Amino acid sequence: MPQERPRYQERPSRLPGAVVWTWDAPEGPPPAPRSVLPDGCMDLIWTGGRIVVAGPDTHAFQVEPQNRASCAAIRLAPGTAPVLLGVPAHELRDHRADLADLWPSATVRRLTDRIDEASDPAAALEHFALDRIADTGPPDPRTVAVAEGLRRGRTVAATAAEAGLGARQLHRRSQAAFGYGPKTLARILRLQRALELIRTGLPYAEAACAAGCTDQAHLAREMRDLAATTLGAYFGAAAANSETPHPSGSRTTA
C-alpha cells in the first residue's frame, strides 16, 4: 500500500530566512482545531482565489476545521513582511487580512490569477516574494541584527547597543518591523527556542534553561501566557497531529 503523502510539508525558501509550506486538506471529516503559536513571523497564504496575510501574533491563534482548505504559503522571517508589503507590522498584529484590503484590488487579482493558474502555487508565491524584495530591497540590516540578537537569547539592552539604537528607537522600529516591542519579540523567540529544544528530546527543565528561561516554571508560565496551553497538552496534540513539524504550526486562513 503506497504511503500517504504528509498533509503539511515545508522547505527552506530562496528568500533568506523564509520557509515555503503547503497544506493539503484531508478527505472525509475535517481535522481537529489547531492552535498556531506566535513565532515572530508573518505569512503570505494562498488558497484558491485568495491571498491572506497572517500578521504577527501575540497569542495562540485557533484555526477552525472549516477554515483549513488546501493552501500554499511562505513564512517570512521577522521584519521581512513589512518591507515586502509596505505596511507596518503593528497594523496587522493579531489579524488575518486579505491582501486585497492592503493593495489595489486589480494588482492583487492579477497576482492571484497567476498563482491560481500555476502548476506549483507555492513556487509561484515564492517567486512573487523574491521579485518583490528585489524591487523594495531587503530589511534594514539593523532590524535583521535585532531579530538575530534576540533569537540568540541576547538581552534587549545588549541587542539595542549592538544595533546602535536607543531604547525609544528600538521600540519604534520593532513595532513597525515585528508588530510589537522588543521585549515581546524576545519572549516569543525564547518560547520557540525552548519548544525546538524539547522536540530534539531535551527534558523540559533543561530546555527551559538552555532557551534562557529562569527554570521550568518560568517556561510553563510563558507557555500559558503566549500559547494558552501547557507543555504537556501542546506536545500531546503535536503527537496526534504529526503532519505539522514546525513549532508554530501552519497558519491556515481564518
Side-chain angles (χ1 to χ4, degrees):
M1 183 176 179
Q3 186 175 7
E4 184 180 359
R5 178 178 181 269
R7 292 199 293 269
Y8 176 85
Q9 293 186 319
E10 66 176 40
R11 63 169 173 82
S13 172
R14 290 178 290 154
L15 186 66
V19 172
V20 175
W21 60 267
T22 57
W23 163 266
D24 291 333
E27 297 180 359
R34 169 68 60 79
S35 288
V36 178
L37 273 57
D39 57 7
C41 299
M42 293 175 63
D43 294 45
L44 288 180
I45 306 170
W46 167 89
T47 177
R50 184 184 179 203
I51 298 176
V52 172
V53 179
D57 293 326
T58 59
H59 53 76
F61 178 83
Q62 192 79 354
V63 179
E64 297 298 332
Q66 65 268 26
N67 294 325
R68 301 196 69 182
S70 294
C71 58
I74 182 166
R75 181 182 301 124
L76 300 164
T80 302
V83 176
L84 189 150
L85 297 172
V87 178
H90 65 80
E91 293 188 7
L92 298 170
R93 183 173 54 233
D94 293 322
H95 285 291
R96 304 299 186 265
D98 279 293
L99 185 59
D101 293 335
L102 307 176
W103 283 10
S105 58
T107 300
V108 175
R109 173 48 52 195
R110 287 194 296 270
L111 172 60
T112 305
D113 288 346
R114 187 162 76 244
I115 297 175
D116 285 349
E117 295 165 4
S119 58
D120 185 345
L125 187 62
E126 179 185 30
H127 186 73
F128 155 72
L130 287 164
D131 284 349
R132 177 70 179 172
I133 285 293
D135 290 339
T136 63
D140 186 325
R142 283 182 291 184
T143 296
V144 176
V146 167
E148 179 59 19
L150 296 176
R151 188 190 66 79
R152 288 188 285 110
R154 301 285 287 172
T155 65
V156 170
T159 299
E162 289 175 355
L165 297 170
R168 290 185 179 179
Q169 285 180 307
L170 177 61
H171 188 81
R172 184 172 62 251
R173 285 173 175 267
S174 294
Q175 288 280 344
F178 312 126
Y180 23 66
K183 289 185 179 179
T184 298
L185 179 62
R187 292 178 64 203
I188 288 169
L189 295 179
R190 183 175 59 202
L191 176 62
Q192 287 292 338
R193 217 164 40 245
L195 296 179
E196 289 168 3
L197 290 169
I198 293 169
R199 284 175 176 269
T200 70
L202 208 62
Y204 290 171
E206 292 181 32
C209 292
C213 294
T214 306
D215 51 26
Q216 184 176 332
H218 182 191
L219 174 59
R221 290 193 300 273
E222 292 291 75
M223 194 70 179
R224 287 195 300 270
D225 289 348
L226 296 171
T229 189
T230 64
L231 289 166
Y234 172 76
F235 283 103
N241 297 278
S242 58
E243 76 281 355
T244 306
H246 189 273
S248 64
S250 57
R251 292 163 168 253
T252 41
T253 57

